[in-house]
Amino acid sequence: PHRLALTHNLILHYGLYKQMEVYRPYRARPSDMITFHSSDYIDFLQRVTPDNQKQFLDCIGRFNVGDDCPVFDGLYDFCSIYTGGSLEGAWKLNHKQCDVAINWSGGLHHAKKFEASGFCYVNDIVIAILELLKYHPRVLYIDIDIHHGDGVEEAFYTTDRVMTVSFHKYGNHFFPGTGDMYEIGAREGKYYSVNVPLRDGIDDEGYISLFKPVIRKIVEVYQPSAIVLQCGADSLGCDRLGCFNLSIRTHGECVKFVKSFNLPVLVLGGGGYTIRN
């Protein structure tokens, strides 16, 4: 996608690549994807194309592929590349090959076990967290996309090994319609899902005054040994689908604050529908 090419070009021309190690991403295999997703769903993603999709009409409905999640050429390759980037980032953190791993193409937080949702086909975040859990007893997931991180929350809703924290727009039928502050987890995961529902127009000062004390207290009490941070750019001001009034500086401040805890951090992309953001 164009926005990823643009991001890479900015990193190159600002010389930021000199401050990091850059890798061609590992391509995730079906065996990696079915650690979370159902095998029949992944098999469908491998086989469906724009030319043969009429043969899969029953699957297209069942797996929620269509309007928000169209079939396009190279769909499975796209999923394999962005998922592999997040998975390799988690692997490198696990093996102490880096302190911060970044995959701007990842962060597709809406995908569910059996279906696509909201432009998301494979949930690379859940797959990466499952990899982190092989080495870390507790993982903290933080989501600053304007949309609720529903796919990740749902995946870990009944466990205390992952705490999910989402700051998002809520109300007036805003997609995906979940993320009420009273969604707090269930069974062993009760009180391990934290939602911060927000209204239109929140600015830098208001956002940071919520973000820092909430995250500081969660890290203090939960004591994670690794953090995954989803940085969807649709919470920035003037986004075509968003309604917040945040600057890039505030997004950067959120990342800087999360880094200040000196824990392994996997930084991912997410939404964002205005190119200049």
Side-chain angles (χ1 to χ4, degrees), residues 125-178:
I125 307 170
V126 172
I127 292 167
I129 290 174
L130 290 171
E131 181 66 24
L132 289 171
L133 289 173
K134 294 177 182 178
Y135 286 76
H136 296 275
R138 290 178 301 283
V139 174
L140 174 62
Y141 171 68
I142 304 169
D143 191 317
I144 60 172
D145 192 290
I146 198 168
H147 300 98
H148 178 229
D150 58 334
V152 184
E153 179 186 271
E154 183 179 296
F156 299 111
Y157 205 63
T158 59
T159 180
D160 59 1
R161 291 195 62 199
V162 179
M163 177 170 273
T164 60
V165 187
S166 180
F167 296 79
H168 52 267
K169 155 73 177 170
Y170 179 76
N172 295 328
H173 308 290
F174 192 75
F175 185 86
T178 53

Side-chain angles (χ1 to χ4, degrees), residues 91-129:
W91 190 90
K92 287 185 180 295
L93 291 170
N94 279 346
H95 292 86
K96 300 187 180 351
Q97 293 185 13
C98 62
D99 303 310
V100 179
I102 304 169
N103 175 22
W104 290 129
S105 66
L108 280 77
H109 59 172
H110 295 306
K112 310 295 198 304
K113 184 178 182 70
F114 299 102
E115 65 180 35
S117 177
F119 314 137
C120 305
Y121 301 86
V122 173
N123 199 315
D124 62 292
I125 307 170
V126 172
I127 292 167
I129 290 174

